[in-house]
Amino acid sequence: MSKITVLGGGRVGGGLATALTRAGHEVTVADRSPGAAAEAVRTAQIVINATPGAGSLERLTALRTELRGKILVDVSNATVDGPDGLPADLLYPGSSLAEQLQDALPETLVVKTLNTMLHSVMTAPAALAQTPTAFLSGKDPGAKQVVHGLLLDLGWHQEWITDLGGIETARAVEAAILFVPHVIRSSGFAPFAISIAR
């Protein structure tokens, strides 16, 4: 059992909090107020960033002290939205939100995962007709192993999880968000995920 704080109480954060609580973890969803968020992060072992990606860097940098020595699981995508509210471009072209976070928080272990799927698939991967893939990016093997365990708790099978390597590999999976608006316009909001077929 881990003490986990989820930053972001929307569909993504709320779904992850519910599923991880069901798996036996002690989960807190942080209040929006800076003081409450800081306290929730301070007492956690693992922090999940499920806040809107465009504001994540500023929001999390303000928690630098509280995040020191923690594992930060980043599931967000930092995008510039188009007129229809769907992602139109990347906020950090040539980089990634995860890399920006790791640079800004050198004493925090950032792991990128679960950002290549519709939110419902994060906690119910077996509901898809085809096998999905969850990717891991991060500089610390031990932190990635911990997050790997959380994915198993969320219903991901061992063979569905692919460790891509260092945090710089996050720019590849974050770029996958550019598929999303086209998939949604084509097929609607039906659950989907990127999958590596072998």
Side-chain angles (χ1 to χ4, degrees), residues 2-27:
S2 299
K3 291 187 71 172
I4 301 171
T5 287
V6 178
L7 298 175
R11 290 177 297 185
V12 173
L16 289 169
T18 298
L20 290 168
T21 299
R22 193 180 302 126
H25 297 282
E26 184 180 333
V27 182

Side-chain angles (χ1 to χ4, degrees), residues 47-130:
V47 177
I48 297 175
N49 176 41
T51 65
S56 289
L57 184 59
E58 181 181 4
R59 188 176 290 111
L60 292 167
T61 300
L63 297 169
R64 181 184 286 106
T65 300
E66 291 80 8
L67 284 165
R68 186 176 293 131
K70 315 280 186 184
I71 296 172
L72 176 61
V73 184
D74 180 36
V75 302
S76 294
N77 287 301
T79 60
V80 178
D81 291 341
D84 58 1
L86 294 175
D89 207 348
L90 301 174
L91 192 57
Y92 302 110
S95 182
S96 64
L97 173 58
E99 289 172 277
Q100 297 292 316
L101 288 170
Q102 188 61 85
D103 286 345
L105 304 166
E107 296 178 89
T108 301
L109 305 174
V110 179
V111 178
K112 188 80 183 189
T113 193
L114 293 179
N115 68 305
T116 55
M117 61 204 69
L118 202 65
H119 64 90
S120 60
V121 179
M122 295 178 176
T123 57
L128 294 180
Q130 283 86 35

